Amino acid sequence: MSGPFPPPHRGPAPSPWGPPPAPSPTTSVRWVGIGGAAVVVLVAGTFLPWVRSGRVSRNSYELAGVGVRRLDAGPWIEGALQAWPFLGPLWAVVVVLMVLRRRRSAAVASLVLAVPTGLVALCGVVLAVRFDAPTIGGVWPGPAVTLVGAVGCAVAGVALLRRPTATETGAGSPVAPPGPPRPR
């Protein structure tokens, strides 16, 4: 007869002060997949229209090029505009780190890249909503998609940083501690 209660626990109770449980490989793989999809969304958003002038729409890279040529901005803004075309290759490095199972490094790099990219995209969304005119103005799909991708990358990065690695839990140690004998 099975009741509503689970079967009694066999063996010693886990200590609340002991090491954390071993990470589930499927959970880590899930967050890596979410992070990879977020990178694709983010980079795709940079190629969508960000601004419209008459009948011409420009993506973020064209907009950054115009900003470098036309704006007399401070060194920080000029440096950011000049670095913007390298966004795709930098996110490719994050994907390569994920493929090489360097999840902590990929998570840190993801956070370092997602925060400024998300801020630029958020500014793009605000400007698109504020200056939505028929002939000249911002276009919201590019910055909005980029912002969604940046938030996804940041969430996946934080989730991967919070997951204990196999070496932190003792699962990756070369000599496993002796456990209870297995029944034959």
Side-chain angles (χ1 to χ4, degrees):
M1 177 173 146
S2 66
F5 300 107
H9 179 71
R10 305 218 191 281
S15 169
W17 296 281
S24 167
T26 58
T27 303
S28 294
V29 169
R30 186 176 306 134
W31 282 113
V32 168
I34 290 170
V39 168
V40 170
V41 168
L42 184 147
V43 173
T46 62
F47 286 102
L48 291 174
W50 278 53
V51 72
R52 178 184 61 244
S53 176
R55 292 185 180 164
V56 178
S57 295
R58 300 198 185 277
N59 65 24
S60 66
Y61 302 106
E62 294 169 327
L63 190 59
V66 169
V68 167
R69 289 188 304 272
R70 303 284 179 158
L71 290 179
D72 186 26
W76 285 97
I77 294 175
E78 187 174 332
L81 290 173
Q82 289 176 348
W84 191 259
F86 296 103
L87 195 63
L90 288 173
W91 281 107
V93 169
V94 173
V95 171
V96 168
L97 287 171
M98 282 193 255
V99 168
L100 294 175
R101 295 181 185 225
R102 310 294 280 174
R103 293 194 174 120
R104 298 268 182 199
S105 300
V108 169
S110 177
L111 287 172
V112 166
L113 289 172
V115 170
T117 304
L119 288 174
V120 169
L122 181 63
C123 290
V125 168
V126 169
L127 291 174
V129 170
R130 186 167 180 197
F131 297 112
D132 191 19
T135 57
I136 185 167
V139 180
W140 65 268
V145 170
T146 304
L147 181 61
V148 167
V151 169
C153 289
V155 168
V158 168
L160 285 173
L161 282 177
R162 293 190 54 153
R163 305 274 318 149
T165 61
T167 55
E168 290 172 350
T169 61
S173 61
V175 177
R182 293 189 294 181
R184 292 186 184 211

